[in-house]
Amino acid sequence: MTPADTGAPTAVGAAVSDAPEVPDTADTRVAPGGPGYRRMSFALFLAGVATFALLYSTQALLPLISGDLGVTAGDASWTVAAATGGLALFVLPMSALSERYGRRTVMTASLAVAVTVGLLVPFAPSLPVLVALRAVQGAALAGLPASATAYLAEEVTPKALVTAIGLFVAGNSVGGMSGRVITGWVAQEWGWRVAVGVIGVVAVGCAVAFRLLLPRPRHFTPGSLRPRVLARTVRAHLADPLLRRLYAIGALFMTVFGGVYTVIGYRLTEAPFALPQGIVGSIFLVYLVGTVSASTAGRLVGRLGRRGALYLAGGTTAAGLLLSLADSLPLVLLGLVLITAGFFAGHAVASSAVSRTATHGRAQASALYQSAYYIGSSAGSTVGATAFHAGGWGGTVGVGLLAVLGVVSITLLGTRAARRGAAAASVPA
């Protein structure tokens, strides 16, 4: 008798079918306080931790990588852009695999490959090899984001969806924070290679716990891998004006975030701050603010509505960018707090709206969002670093403010479209 037959957990990477269990009642979706909700939430929280810890493991180390390998800030930034770009390119194919073979199976395999590559990254002999390994790692991680949100959309009650996805996003923020803080202090003592190796070991632990904790799906129905079916689903999602706006909003928010956190290490290690690497890594404790803002996004939407929450997130991010221009460390830190809170709130609101809007092909809908989101990250990393090289921190802030203006403008278009739709509906036939 196999573990699948008994319901016992299996090891990471085990090829176990995600065929749905037959529900005992008409609706067995999980709600807060119900059986399995905490276990499910914690498992996906750990998946989020591993994803962001691995994906951005080199970001806080860019000044050290530049010095060790003798490359510029722009060249070193490719160790981040390659990972996020690989994820952006492969998230749609991975989502198709999750439609056929199951969310849990694809997430498990993705984490297994990503953590294996993570253990190889410290041994990269040159920048091209390091960038190539990071691209493979990003491609492997592509199986996590879209599959996780699709899994939650199928297994959690609609009213709890924003909160559940917010907890997954909160795991992203904890992973991003812990990865940068740990690497900062470890690298200060033993160098960047040991630092990324430690992150790889931490990610292995998260991957094992994730696979042991995540419940088997009860509402998954296998789909088709036929290219025509996939293309038809993707076209339908891209034809939806609301989904297009949400994809653009995710990309623009991530452009701000990617640019700021790729460059901030260079700014803080240079005059007038000249902080040591360990202290610079600790700056990423600011991510805890993102954990809170992402996990409370559901309440924010309940009070302000989706578009109101996006306006608030955009305004908060813009205020943080402007504050960060000061040459005062406390004001720069406050700016980072506001940027982080605004970004994670906006991301949680937009990503959960995608899952609620899509009535079919949820994995593809989420994959398109994640693809746009990580394209924004790659663009933010490279453009932000280039702007910093050309115009200092003010150049990076300028790129971020343009992206926030795009978020607000797109949300305003959505507000006007909603008003026109409501007015048309009120006119008698």
Side-chain angles (χ1 to χ4, degrees), residues 28 30 88 113 314:
T28 57
V30 179
V113 174

mmCIF file of all heavy atoms in Angstrom, residues 28 30 88 113 314:
data_model
loop_
_atom_site.group_PDB
_atom_site.id
_atom_site.type_symbol
_atom_site.label_atom_id
_atom_site.label_comp_id
_atom_site.label_asym_id
_atom_site.label_seq_id
_atom_site.Cartn_x
_atom_site.Cartn_y
_atom_site.Cartn_z
ATOM 1 N N THR A 28 -16.864 21.155 0.265
ATOM 2 C CA THR A 28 -15.875 20.818 1.296
ATOM 3 C C THR A 28 -14.714 21.800 1.307
ATOM 4 O O THR A 28 -13.652 21.491 1.838
ATOM 5 C CB THR A 28 -15.336 19.393 1.067
ATOM 6 O OG1 THR A 28 -14.769 19.309 -0.243
ATOM 7 C CG2 THR A 28 -16.432 18.359 1.239
ATOM 8 N N VAL A 30 -12.289 24.751 2.383
ATOM 9 C CA VAL A 30 -11.805 25.062 3.724
ATOM 10 C C VAL A 30 -12.069 26.525 4.046
ATOM 11 O O VAL A 30 -11.933 27.408 3.190
ATOM 12 C CB VAL A 30 -10.298 24.765 3.825
ATOM 13 C CG1 VAL A 30 -9.771 25.118 5.210
ATOM 14 C CG2 VAL A 30 -10.040 23.298 3.520
ATOM 15 N N ALA A 88 9.437 34.271 -15.000
ATOM 16 C CA ALA A 88 8.422 34.900 -15.852
ATOM 17 C C ALA A 88 8.193 34.102 -17.132
ATOM 18 O O ALA A 88 7.057 33.960 -17.599
ATOM 19 C CB ALA A 88 8.848 36.327 -16.187
ATOM 20 N N VAL A 113 13.619 20.817 -7.494
ATOM 21 C CA VAL A 113 14.639 21.240 -8.459
ATOM 22 C C VAL A 113 15.308 22.535 -8.002
ATOM 23 O O VAL A 113 16.532 22.687 -8.067
ATOM 24 C CB VAL A 113 14.018 21.411 -9.856
ATOM 25 C CG1 VAL A 113 15.045 22.002 -10.828
ATOM 26 C CG2 VAL A 113 13.506 20.071 -10.379
ATOM 27 N N GLY A 314 -0.790 52.448 -3.855
ATOM 28 C CA GLY A 314 0.033 53.259 -4.745
ATOM 29 C C GLY A 314 0.496 54.547 -4.087
ATOM 30 O O GLY A 314 1.668 54.940 -4.209
#
